[in-house]
């Protein structure tokens, strides 16, 4: 970008040097030398307007800002609203009738909500703690741009189930099967994130936290802060990171702090160092009497949010089971699961005995046979093959968020146990699987081998 700006600032190009210059003299034998010698001084600003706009369309927002002071013509081009509309559209691709009102222009709209557009671009976010501070449950949040109020708002995604009906399982009468019809909705009464125009203007640097107007209850306060990603070579197995290593992520951050992440080491020095995949929210309750300038902080806590790249939860023809699912966990209620369909590299398949080891250890092995890079091949009977992992995005006091809840080792012919002929699951394929259970507070966790039918999910 710096070299491009220098070119725009230059009034003459190298080919317009006079005949006495060394570069021109060395080209006298060239058949095009006379044309070069008599060329008029060529400023890059004489390019047609549509060519300049095409060049500028490849620049990021900060580069346009740096380009504007070079000259009046380029300033006019840098302020072209169609360029700034592209920046907004890239971050809000799912709203077809997008308008910049009540902002005067797309440029004003983009600048008023920077640098938080990454929140809407990634849409789906999950946290290490619930909004109430519970460590094991977490939150699943959808962040969107509200054009009517011109703000970025994050709402919790919640699910509930109807009254269950029960029936016995013909294949195993001692097992009771209950129905499950979840209702999924956004909880709009208490937003976790609310970015209004000018929010970033409150901060003096990217290190500072910014107050948000999210608390519907009197005295509830919240602040948002940017994070700095932790390079992979600095991550050790003993380090607590978010998101957990079993969840695919572009960036991870350290997720333990003695002072609730108040140190500057957890935050970026500049906006260019800020992560687009992780951020934090600090919440507390503040009490104070009438006219009291300083209140009392109670229950202060920090939630760390991360996102999953959409290619890991978007279903496709090769990976039809991949996605965000809702599971019914009886007394614990509904929980959200990330289902990832991975290929199995047969060439490096480990011994069957490795399944007896804890899944976390098996997954973290450097020679793991499971990969997202390999294509998922269909089985001999036309069904999808591969490994299906269910990871909790929200959890419960027994098995928390960020842990496996079950794993189908191979949903293809190699893992097929039988095809169900009982009425309730007639025609469903039962495949080999591992279920994860634990006592309260995630104690005595173990993996067992229940039967698993793909018709259940």
């Amino acid at each position: 970008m710096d070299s491009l700006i220098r070119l725009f600032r230059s009034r003459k190009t190298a080919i317009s040097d006079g005949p006495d210059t060394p570069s021109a003299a060395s080209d006298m034998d060239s058949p095009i030398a006379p044309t070069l010698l008599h060329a008029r001084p060529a400023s890059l600003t004489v390019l047609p307007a549509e060519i300049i706009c095409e060049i500028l369309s490849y620049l990021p927002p900060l580069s346009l800002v740096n380009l504007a002071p070079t000259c009046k013509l380029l300033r006019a081009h840098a302020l072209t609203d169609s360029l700034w509309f592209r920046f907004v559209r890239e971050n809000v691709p799912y709203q077809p009738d997008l308008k910049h009102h009540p902002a005067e222009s797309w440029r004003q709209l983009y600048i008023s909500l920077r640098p938080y557009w990454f929140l809407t671009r990634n849409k789906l976010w999950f946290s290490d703690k619930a909004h109430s501070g519970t460590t094991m449950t977490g939150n699943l949040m959808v962040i969107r741009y509200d054009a009517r109020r011109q703000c970025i708002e994050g709402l919790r995604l919640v699910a509930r189930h109807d009254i269950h009906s029960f029936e016995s399982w013909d294949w195993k009468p001692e097992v009771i099967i209950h129905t499950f019809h979840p209702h999924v909705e956004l909880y709009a009464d208490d937003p976790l994130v609310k970015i209004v125009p000018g929010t970033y203007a409150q901060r003096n640097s990217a290190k500072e936290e910014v107050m948000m107007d999210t608390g519907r209850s009197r005295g509830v306060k919240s602040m948002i802060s940017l994070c700095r990603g932790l390079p992979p070579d600095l991550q050790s197995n003993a380090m607590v990171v978010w998101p957990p290593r079993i969840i695919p992520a572009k960036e991870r951050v350290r997720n333990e702090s003695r002072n609730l992440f108040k140190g500057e080491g957890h935050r970026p020095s500049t906006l260019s160092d800020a992560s687009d995949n992780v951020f934090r929210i600090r919440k507390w309750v503040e009490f104070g009497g009438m006219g009291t300038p300083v209140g009392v902080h109670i229950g202060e806590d920090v939630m760390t949010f991360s996102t999953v790249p959409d290619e890991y939860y978007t279903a496709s023809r090769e990976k039809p089971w991949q996605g965000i699912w809702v599971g019914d966990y009886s007394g614990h209620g509904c929980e959200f699961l990330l289902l990832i369909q991975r290929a199995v590299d047969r060439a490096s398949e480990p011994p069957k005995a490795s399944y007896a080891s804890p899944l976390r250890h098996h997954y973290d092995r450097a020679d793991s046979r499971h990969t997202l890079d390999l294509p998922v091949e269909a089985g001999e009977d036309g069904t999808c093959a591969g490994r299906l992992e269910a990871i909790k995005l929200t959890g419960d006091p027994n098995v928390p968020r960020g842990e496996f809840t079950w794993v189908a080792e191979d949903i293809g012919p190699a893992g097929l146990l039988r095809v169900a002929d009982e009425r309730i699951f007639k025609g469903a394929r039962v495949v080999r699987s591992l279920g994860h259970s634990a006592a309260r507070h995630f104690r005595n966790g173990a993996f067992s081998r229940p039967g698993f039918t793909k018709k259940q999910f």
Side-chain angles (χ1 to χ4, degrees):
M1 175 57 205
D2 292 338
S3 60
L4 179 61
I5 293 177
R6 286 196 297 270
L7 286 174
F8 277 129
R9 281 175 170 162
S10 175
R11 299 192 60 84
K12 296 182 180 181
T13 60
I15 64 173
S16 64
D17 292 336
D20 296 332
T21 61
S23 60
S26 63
D27 290 335
M28 287 300 293
D29 295 333
S30 172
I32 61 170
T35 303
L36 296 178
L37 294 177
H38 296 86
R40 297 178 58 188
S43 173
L44 293 177
T45 57
V46 302
L47 290 173
E50 58 271 20
I51 300 299
I52 296 179
C53 286
E54 177 66 19
I55 295 173
L56 299 192
S57 67
Y58 292 94
L59 300 182
L62 187 58
S63 296
L64 283 182
V65 173
N66 293 333
L67 180 64
T70 57
C71 71
K72 292 182 179 179
L73 178 62
L74 294 180
R75 174 179 173 81
H77 283 291
L79 297 181
T80 301
D81 220 28
S82 60
L83 295 176
W84 294 90
F85 167 74
R86 178 173 59 87
F87 299 140
V88 177
R89 171 56 70 195
E90 288 174 351
N91 293 286
V92 193
Y94 45 85
Q95 294 186 14
D97 56 345
L98 192 62
K99 301 183 185 303
H100 64 70
H101 300 293
E104 296 180 357
S105 64
W106 292 109
R107 178 177 178 272
Q108 185 186 69
L109 172 62
Y110 181 84
I111 293 176
S112 67
L113 294 174
R114 66 177 290 272
Y116 302 106
W117 285 108
F118 73 93
L119 299 175
T120 62
R121 182 172 66 250
N122 292 318
K123 301 185 294 293
L124 197 65
W125 298 83
F126 62 99
S127 68
D128 59 336
K129 299 178 183 177
H131 63 289
S132 60
T134 306
T135 303
M136 303 183 73
T137 55
N139 272 316
L140 187 62
M141 176 172 58
V142 174
I143 299 185
R144 62 186 183 179
Y145 170 67
D146 189 330
R148 181 178 60 86
R149 293 182 295 163
Q150 196 179 336
C151 69
I152 294 174
E153 189 174 55
L155 304 176
R156 280 184 290 144
L157 194 63
V158 296
R160 56 183 177 84
H161 54 69
D162 287 335
I163 298 176
H164 294 140
S165 60
F166 301 89
E167 56 182 302
S168 62
W169 190 4
D170 297 338
W171 189 72
K172 188 173 289 189
E174 65 270 21
V175 175
I176 302 298
I177 306 296
H178 65 75
T179 59
F180 179 42
H181 301 287
H183 298 274
V184 180
E185 58 187 3
L186 292 174
Y187 186 66
D189 291 344
D190 186 19
L192 294 178
V193 171
K194 188 174 182 181
I195 306 295
V196 298
T199 296
Y200 184 73
Q202 302 178 33
R203 48 165 90 228
N204 296 322
S205 71
K207 295 182 178 181
E208 295 185 13
E209 296 176 300
V210 171
M211 188 72 68
M212 296 187 296
D213 183 19
T214 56
R216 296 295 178 89
S217 302
R218 186 175 180 181
V220 177
K221 307 291 184 180
S222 64
M223 303 178 76
I224 186 171
S225 62
L226 303 177
C227 293
R228 179 171 55 188
L230 189 65
D233 56 342
L234 296 182
Q235 301 176 22
S236 64
N237 292 332
M239 183 181 296
V240 179
V241 296
W242 189 259
R245 293 179 176 86
I246 65 174
I247 299 179
K250 295 180 179 179
E251 288 182 297
R252 305 184 196 277
V253 296
R254 188 170 182 175
N255 204 36
E256 56 183 355
S257 173
R258 295 181 179 179
N259 62 354
L260 289 178
F261 304 99
K262 292 181 179 179
E264 294 184 352
H266 295 282
R267 303 174 194 166
S269 301
T270 62
L271 288 181
S272 60
D273 296 331
S275 171
D276 285 350
N277 302 281
V278 189
F279 70 95
R280 289 191 172 97
I281 294 178
R282 184 183 306 275
K283 297 194 72 171
W284 70 92
V285 178
E286 185 171 314
F287 294 97
M290 294 295 294
T292 303
V294 179
V296 179
H297 287 208
I298 297 179
E300 182 173 339
D301 207 348
V302 176
M303 296 180 288
T304 304
F305 282 85
S306 179
T307 187
V308 179
D310 55 5
E311 61 266 27
Y312 295 135
Y313 64 82
T314 302
S316 64
R317 183 177 180 180
E318 295 76 19
K319 301 180 179 181
W321 301 102
Q322 190 163 270
I324 306 295
W325 294 71
V326 183
D328 187 0
Y329 285 78
S330 188
H332 295 307
C334 297
E335 299 179 20
F336 291 98
L337 313 178
L338 170 66
L339 263 64
I340 301 177
Q341 197 167 339
R342 302 180 188 269
V344 177
D345 186 2
R346 302 291 181 186
S348 60
E349 184 172 354
K352 293 296 182 181
S354 67
Y355 291 120
S357 61
L359 277 184
R360 178 185 296 279
H361 172 72
H362 176 66
Y363 182 87
D364 287 340
R365 286 176 29 167
D367 61 343
S368 175
R369 69 189 179 103
H370 311 294
T371 174
L372 289 172
D373 298 329
L374 295 176
V376 177
E377 299 178 354
E380 297 176 358
D381 57 355
T383 59
C384 286
R387 171 186 171 100
L388 197 61
E389 299 176 352
I391 304 171
K392 287 192 175 186
L393 294 180
T394 59
D396 55 63
N398 292 74
V399 179
R401 79 289 174 273
E403 295 289 341
F404 289 110
T405 181
W406 54 261
V407 174
E409 300 158 321
D410 195 333
I411 62 176
L416 180 65
L417 297 177
R418 68 185 183 92
V419 177
D421 57 0
E422 58 271 22
R423 178 188 56 82
I424 190 171
F425 295 128
K426 189 174 182 62
R429 301 175 69 254
V430 182
V431 297
R432 185 178 293 107
S433 60
L434 294 169
H436 195 183
S437 60
R440 197 169 181 83
H441 302 301
F442 199 39
R443 292 179 292 107
N444 304 324
F447 292 93
S448 57
R449 285 190 179 277
F452 168 71
T453 68
K454 290 200 294 183
K455 193 174 180 180
Q456 287 179 273
F457 292 88

